[in-house]
Every structure is written in structure tokens, then in C-alpha cells.
Amino acid sequence: MRKSVTAAVLAALLSAGALAACDSGKTGDGAAASPQAAAANAQTGASPSQTKPGPGQPTSVSADYKQSPFFEGKGLPPVKERLPKEPKLTNELPKDALTYEIGTYGGTLRTVRQDPVNDSDLFIINNEPLVNSPGVLGEEVTPNIVKSYTVSDDQKLFTFVLREGLKWSDGRPVTTQDVKFAVDDVLLNKELTPTIPLWLKSAADAGGKPFTFQAIDDYTFTIGFDEPYGGFLIQLAVQGWRGYNDLLKPKHVLQKYHVKYTPLDQLEPLIKEAGFAPGEWAKLFAAKDVLNNEITYPKAIGFPVLTPYIQVKSGDKIEFERNPYYFKVDANGNQLPYIDKLQSTLVQNAEMVNLKILAGEVDHSYEYVSIPKVPLLKENEAKGGYRVYVNSLHRTAGDIHLNLTYDDPVWRQVVRDVKFRKALNLALDKKEIADTVYYGFAKPSSIGDPNRNVQEANRLLDEIGMKKGTDGYRAGPDGKRFTIPLEVSSAFADFAALGQLVVEQWKQIGLDVTLKQIDSSLWTNRNKANELKATIMYTPGPVQWSRQEWGQNIWAPLWDQWWNSGGKQGEEPPEEAKELFRTIFKLRELSLREALAKRDDIRKNIGANYWYFIHSEQIAAPVAVNAKIGNISDKGWGIGQNFAGEQWFFRK
């Protein structure tokens, strides 16, 4: 298949710098610091004022604090009293990724979503971890909600200092009592947390000992482990988009629903009202608590937060307003965020997203803008009043997964044979995929054999006994036609285009492959239930080394469950899969510099075993943005721009 005419149009429309931006992901350009500098920073816990800013970024903050006119007449304390003693000076993007501007207040940022409650744009804008990683990939870790941190030389003890005067969005002070509540009363309460999360065990290992915690004073606390855990900061900064919510909770609100602080007989009316059985106070607590992945849920309305925005409305249109107690400022002392409101509108499908962008009804859309739509969107920029930026994608885009733990003995016998998986990899034309699906704004992956060899693929399938029938299709060990049913989420337009190519290329080696698009919510439910035989989905690695799983919750859900539960759930994986998991989790013990150097071990394991198929890397990430919005660029990682959402502003 040749590259389409549209691809040629795209190449003409986009600047050469876009692909250069993709290349930067491999070389480290656009990262906040080198791994060596990052490791040093991780050890010292430099505060924002000590972190060297990028070009145009502020270096110091004015003590003359200012607020948005949005708050005038609302009876709030002066802005200086609403900020911590040492507000965070904004520096959310890595050096050289942005020519920073002091913004102006006002406006409503409009986004769109296909999920009833989840909006990835709003989620990332409001994601506030204790420490953060400008640029997303973990090359540098900087203080965020905490004012500073230190790491012991043996990488076992982590000391954090909260910002004195930091306040929840309802004005109540934040202290280590909120951390102590989150730890002692939630994480260590068996009814609320039956099993300590892996990331809070030594080296994120199921067999590791749980963390230790101590509140030193009102603002200082420590978290310790019995083994080195150099990757713990990454767990806090970006792993799984965790946010602060696991280790920091508003005690003054949640203690009302906790049996330790409110007698059960007083909770019973609330338990009944919530629809739970008598005594189910833990379910009531969970219904009232708001986890990080629930910040766009209806129950988040009125819940105290530390995020730039607070939710005020749910439904088809989710609305957020600025947090009067948000802890960040710019160099002129302006309390952030600049934009006053966020508004997310529910739409039926990805095509509706593009129509709304073309009509100028969307101010920011990241995940719903696919590369094939870029030519059309670029042609109508002036008319729609928006710009299309092309950044780098922080992950692989549409990896192909065969579920090795699907409950079918014939299926398992075939797909667990590494020769079968190798044959499928050899049948993939990775260059055609990069050119056709991503219009050349990607590079064929070098993981595994990068070359297409249909003859060798056919030989391998013959060798394992999958003979072709008179219909030209290969049979499984039961003598019946072996079918690979690809089911992909309808939320991602490029998955369907990729799926069509996969069907075509695998049919050339005699395999019966089908393609079906399903609703994104249905896809999620079927994946969790181990009901997908084959699918396409992006995975956290191998671009982002810090993520806990590299797709095994898709290509081997039951093995993943076994590993994460310490053998209590799921099915025990074979030794070669265990070795991959060990390599991944071994990274948690290492410093950032050491872990980055070890990343290639994971790539080699995946390349040797073909656990799943990574066809493309260094992929572009287009995003459509209102042309009036400032402090957005086409450098660095696309989703990293959302981390700086409080810095965006509408130019007058």
C-alpha cells in the first residue's frame, strides 16, 4: 500500500520541526535535565527556587501577590493569606520547551470528551502530585505540593516538607495530620485497604515489606523502606498519574465518615441513605473519598482539593472553577491559574470532536486529534480560530496485543508459542504502518526483528503445525480455522486504520483475522474481565520506563494479577515472563540515572519474546488549541503541556 495523497498534503502542511520534535524523545532533547543532573537533583531535593529555569521562565517571585477579578466581591481573605508562605513558582515545563509569558486572567477553556465522566485534558490539568516530573518522563523530579524533599544516601528514607500555610480549596490548612490520616487511617486500615499497594512496598515488589511512616512535625514527614527504592520519587511524580490523593487526604471532611472518629451508630443513617447494608461504613467512606482518577466524577463536587480548579457541575457538561487557595504563582505574584473556568462537553464520537474543533467550539483537544485529521484541521485553522501543534508522544501509540491468558486452551496453545508470535511480527510491515497510519510522523520500531519477511513467517507457522486448508486459512491444533478477532476501542480513530492494515498483513500468511470497533467503556470492561482475545491499545512502555506495567494487563491480564497480588490471584506466569516482570520492578530499586540505563534490558526481553507487537516509535502527538491561548508550544511531550495547564491564558 502506498502512502496516500493526504499524507503528502500533511507533509507539506506540517513543519519539518515536528518530526525533529519526535526525534528529541530518543536523544533526550526537551528533557528538564540530563539523567546525571536529574539524579543529583533527586538526591538534593532542590526547591523550585533552586531549580534552574528554562529560557523566559521566572527566576524569582514578587511578594506583591495578586488575584483574578473572578474572586472580587466573593468575601474571601486577601490573596496573600490564601497562599502558603512559600508559594510554588511555576515551572511546569522542562527547559527549552517554552518561551514563558506572564499571562492575563479570565476566560473559559472548552474541551470535549466521549466518556460520561472522564476527560483526560481536565484530568491532567488538575493532576497535582507531591513531587512532579516536568516533561513527564522522569529525567528530573522537582518539589510540587511539598516545598522540598531529601533522599538518604542508601535510598531507603525519603523526607518531605509540606508548604507552611498550604490550604485545601475550602480554606482549611494542610498539615501532616492529613498525611497521617491518609496513612494510618486509610492505607493501614484493613477494612479500607485490605492489601497495601505494591508501590508502597520496598522496590514495588509484591514480596517486599510495607513502607514505614513518621510525622516529624506539622509539616515534615518521612516514608521509609527496608530496601533501596530509588524509583519511589517517580512513583509519586508520574507513575499511573497518581497525584497526591493516596498520601494526603482532607481529614477534616473524611473523618466524618470514618468509624474511628464517628461512632458506627451515628454513621448508620448515612450508610442507609447511601444505599449500603448496615455496618458497611467502609463503602460509605469510599463513596465520599475522591481518588485521583475520580476528580472529574460527580462526587468530587464540593470535595476539598489542592488542584488549580474545583468541580462545580457534573452531567453532559462538566464545569470547574478556579481554586481560591491554589498554591502556585507567577514571577509577578499573580496567583494561578490564569484561566477562570474549565468546561467539558460530552460528544458521541471522535468525528463530532473534529466537527466542533473546525467550528471553533473547542479550546483544547489532545487525545482525540489523530494524525489523519491533521491536514483538514490545518487547512481550517484561520477559519476555526485554532492552531494545530505537533508534539512528541510520550508512549507507544497502538501496540497490538494477543491475550496470552484468555480462557481457551486452543488459543493459549497457539499464542503462547513464541514461534507463532515471531511469525506474526515478521508479517508486519512496520514501515507501511508508520507511513500509512502515522503519515510518516513515526519511525518503525527496532524492538524485535524490524524487517518484514513473509517467507520466514510462513515457514515458522508451517513448522509449528498450522497448516493451510483448501480455503487458504491456517488451522489450529484442533483442526479448525484459527481466528484472531481484533476488538478495538472506538475512542481512537487510528486504531481502526491500524487494525485494517494488521488484518491485511496477517491474512497474507494464511491467518483469519477480523476487526471490530467497540465502545470505549465496553472495551475497558472486557479487558478487565479478561474477555478480549486480541486488541490494539497504547502501552506505557518502553518509552516511559517509570510505569508499573508495560502492557501485561492487556497481553496477559491473569499473569499481571498473579504478579501484583504476590500469587494470590490470577495465574502464575512462565519463567521468561517472570524475568520480564523482575526486570521492570528491579528499576524501582535504582536511581533515575541507573534505571534509564537499564531500560534497554526490558526492550531486549520484549524483542526476544514478542509478548506484544510494538510497530512504531517516536510518534508525533497533534493537539488542537485555541489560537489565542498562550504558554503552549510545539516542543517536548504533548501531554506534558497539560501539566502546565494552570499557566495557559487567553491573549486579549
Side-chain angles (χ1 to χ4, degrees):
M1 184 182 296
R2 295 182 179 179
K3 188 190 292 189
S4 67
V5 175
T6 306
V9 174
L10 178 63
L13 286 171
L14 296 179
S15 67
L19 190 54
C22 294
D23 288 336
S24 71
K26 186 173 183 180
T27 63
D29 292 342
S34 67
Q36 292 81 1
N41 186 56
Q43 294 299 316
T44 60
S47 68
S49 61
Q50 296 170 311
T51 303
K52 186 177 179 181
Q57 287 186 309
T59 56
S60 61
V61 61
S62 167
D64 183 19
Y65 298 121
K66 309 173 187 67
Q67 69 175 10
S68 168
F70 179 85
F71 290 134
E72 292 179 4
K74 294 188 181 295
L76 291 166
V79 62
K80 184 175 182 179
E81 296 177 15
R82 305 201 305 269
L83 289 166
K85 286 187 176 181
E86 297 182 55
K88 175 167 181 176
L89 178 61
T90 184
N91 61 344
E92 302 302 336
L93 289 176
K95 294 179 292 184
D96 303 324
L98 181 71
T99 301
Y100 182 82
E101 299 178 61
I102 297 295
T104 55
Y105 286 125
T108 298
L109 183 84
R110 300 164 299 172
T111 66
V112 286
R113 70 187 193 282
Q114 293 185 56
D115 188 276
V117 294
N118 289 308
D119 184 312
S120 58
D121 278 325
L122 267 58
F123 170 75
I124 298 298
I125 290 171
N126 282 292
N127 186 60
E128 291 289 357
L130 293 176
V131 296
N132 63 4
S133 174
V136 180
L137 296 188
E139 288 91 339
E140 181 183 20
V141 175
T142 60
N144 189 46
I145 285 175
V146 298
K147 181 182 70 172
S148 63
Y149 67 83
T150 54
V151 183
S152 63
D153 291 339
D154 60 6
Q155 299 189 68
K156 293 182 180 180
L157 186 67
F158 299 79
T159 303
F160 302 93
V161 181
L162 293 168
R163 298 178 188 276
E164 185 176 352
L166 179 69
K167 296 179 178 63
W168 295 102
S169 55
D170 60 3
R172 294 290 293 268
V174 177
T175 70
T176 50
Q177 287 301 307
D178 296 304
V179 185
K180 185 175 176 61
F181 176 81
V183 173
D184 291 345
D185 299 326
V186 181
L187 284 170
L188 299 181
N189 183 290
K190 291 291 185 180
E191 291 186 77
L192 294 176
T193 312
T195 304
I196 297 294
L198 282 186
W199 66 277
L200 284 171
K201 294 183 177 181
S202 287
D205 189 330
K209 291 185 178 180
F211 71 110
T212 59
F213 166 80
Q214 184 178 6
I216 306 300
D217 55 37
D218 285 346
Y219 303 105
T220 308
F221 66 96
T222 64
I223 293 178
F225 301 91
D226 69 332
E227 298 290 339
Y229 194 175
F232 181 61
L233 292 173
I234 294 298
Q235 295 279 355
L236 296 178
V238 72
Q239 170 75 27
W241 312 119
R242 180 162 288 114
Y244 65 82
N245 310 63
D246 289 313
L247 291 173
L248 189 58
K249 294 180 182 293
K251 178 181 178 180
H252 65 285
V253 169
L254 289 176
Q255 66 182 357
K256 302 173 187 176
Y257 311 106
H258 198 296
V259 72
K260 176 180 175 180
Y261 300 92
T262 305
L264 183 59
D265 61 336
Q266 295 181 28
L267 289 175
E268 289 295 0
L270 297 176
I271 294 171
K272 182 178 180 180
E273 182 182 350
F276 302 123
E280 292 186 334
W281 73 272
K283 290 185 178 180
L284 173 69
F285 185 92
K288 296 298 183 179
D289 190 14
V290 176
L291 304 179
N292 201 45
N293 63 350
E294 298 174 327
I295 57 179
T296 57
Y297 286 28
K299 70 174 183 175
I301 295 176
F303 190 80
V305 295
L306 301 175
T307 55
Y309 296 93
I310 55 179
Q311 188 180 174
V312 295
K313 183 180 178 182
S314 63
D316 287 353
K317 282 194 175 181
I318 298 175
E319 295 184 359
F320 283 74
E321 293 180 355
R322 60 186 309 120
N323 176 359
Y325 293 91
Y326 190 54
F327 61 95
K328 298 180 186 178
V329 297
D330 68 18
N332 285 359
N334 297 304
Q335 184 189 31
L336 298 176
Y338 292 123
I339 295 174
D340 287 332
K341 298 181 180 181
L342 308 177
Q343 183 184 86
S344 172
T345 301
L346 180 66
V347 297
Q348 293 181 341
N349 51 51
E351 193 57 38
M352 282 297 297
V353 176
N354 290 294
L355 291 174
K356 282 187 168 291
I357 293 172
L358 290 167
E361 298 175 5
V362 177
D363 297 312
H364 191 279
S365 185
Y366 171 66
E367 288 197 337
Y368 294 129
V369 179
S370 62
I371 291 176
K373 294 295 184 181
V374 171
L376 175 64
L377 294 174
K378 290 289 289 184
E379 290 170 357
N380 290 276
E381 281 182 327
K383 182 179 178 181
Y386 59 83
R387 286 189 61 188
V388 175
Y389 296 90
V390 180
N391 300 90
S392 300
L393 193 62
H394 64 292
R395 50 167 168 75
T396 50
D399 301 327
I400 306 160
H401 304 260
L402 304 180
N403 183 353
L404 306 187
T405 63
Y406 184 80
D407 190 14
D408 180 317
V410 174
W411 173 267
R412 288 188 178 194
Q413 184 178 341
V414 173
V415 301
R416 290 189 181 184
D417 190 326
V418 70
K419 290 182 179 179
F420 177 79
R421 301 196 299 271
K422 183 177 181 179
L424 267 59
N425 179 74
L426 288 170
L428 291 174
D429 189 332
K430 297 181 180 180
K431 186 177 188 306
E432 182 181 20
I433 291 173
D435 288 346
T436 304
V437 179
Y438 304 109
Y439 293 81
F441 284 84
K443 290 187 175 181
S445 173
S446 61
I447 297 177
D449 192 333
N451 302 306
R452 190 174 199 233
N453 190 333
V454 174
Q455 181 178 355
E456 176 63 10
N458 277 309
R459 189 194 68 77
L460 286 169
L461 294 180
D462 290 340
E463 183 180 320
I464 63 176
M466 296 188 71
K467 304 301 182 183
K468 287 184 180 180
T470 56
D471 57 3
Y473 289 109
R474 295 183 181 275
D478 59 353
K480 298 178 181 179
R481 180 192 294 184
F482 188 80
T483 300
I484 300 176
L486 278 173
E487 294 183 279
V488 302
S489 170
S490 59
F492 303 93
D494 54 336
F495 287 4
L498 171 60
Q500 291 167 2
L501 272 183
V502 173
V503 169
E504 176 184 321
Q505 292 174 6
W506 282 353
K507 278 188 174 180
Q508 292 175 24
I509 56 173
L511 291 172
D512 180 27
V513 190
T514 62
L515 177 65
K516 180 181 179 181
Q517 285 186 286
I518 60 177
D519 177 77
S520 60
S521 297
L522 177 60
W523 184 95
T524 299
N525 292 335
R526 285 173 59 77
N527 179 58
K528 289 181 178 179
N530 196 42
E531 294 176 351
L532 294 174
K533 273 189 172 181
T535 191
I536 294 172
M537 181 52 68
Y538 58 82
T539 48
V543 176
Q544 191 171 336
W545 69 267
S546 61
R547 297 300 293 270
Q548 178 154 318
E549 37 74 20
W550 287 36
Q552 59 261 29
N553 62 335
I554 304 173
W555 57 263
L558 298 184
W559 293 352
D560 185 60
Q561 291 176 19
W562 185 91
W563 183 268
N564 289 324
S565 66
K568 296 178 181 178
Q569 301 174 17
E571 295 179 8
E572 183 174 1
E575 182 58 32
E576 57 269 25
K578 289 181 183 177
E579 182 58 33
L580 172 67
F581 299 167
R582 290 189 197 101
T583 307
I584 293 172
F585 281 83
K586 182 70 175 177
L587 296 179
R588 307 311 184 266
E589 302 176 21
L590 307 176
S591 68
L592 294 174
R593 177 172 51 186
E594 293 170 324
L596 289 169
K598 285 286 186 180
R599 182 170 54 184
D600 281 346
D601 292 344
I602 300 174
R603 294 172 64 93
K604 290 175 182 177
N605 187 299
I606 295 173
N609 292 283
Y610 301 102
W611 300 116
Y612 60 103
F613 307 99
I614 304 172
H615 48 78
S616 303
E617 296 183 275
Q618 301 182 44
I619 304 166
V623 55
V625 181
N626 187 312
K628 292 183 178 180
I629 293 181
N631 284 339
I632 286 183
S633 80
D634 58 357
K635 300 177 182 178
W637 304 98
I639 204 166
Q641 303 283 342
N642 288 43
F643 265 74
E646 69 275 4
Q647 298 175 184
W648 299 347
F649 68 96
F650 287 100
R651 293 190 176 92
K652 304 300 183 182

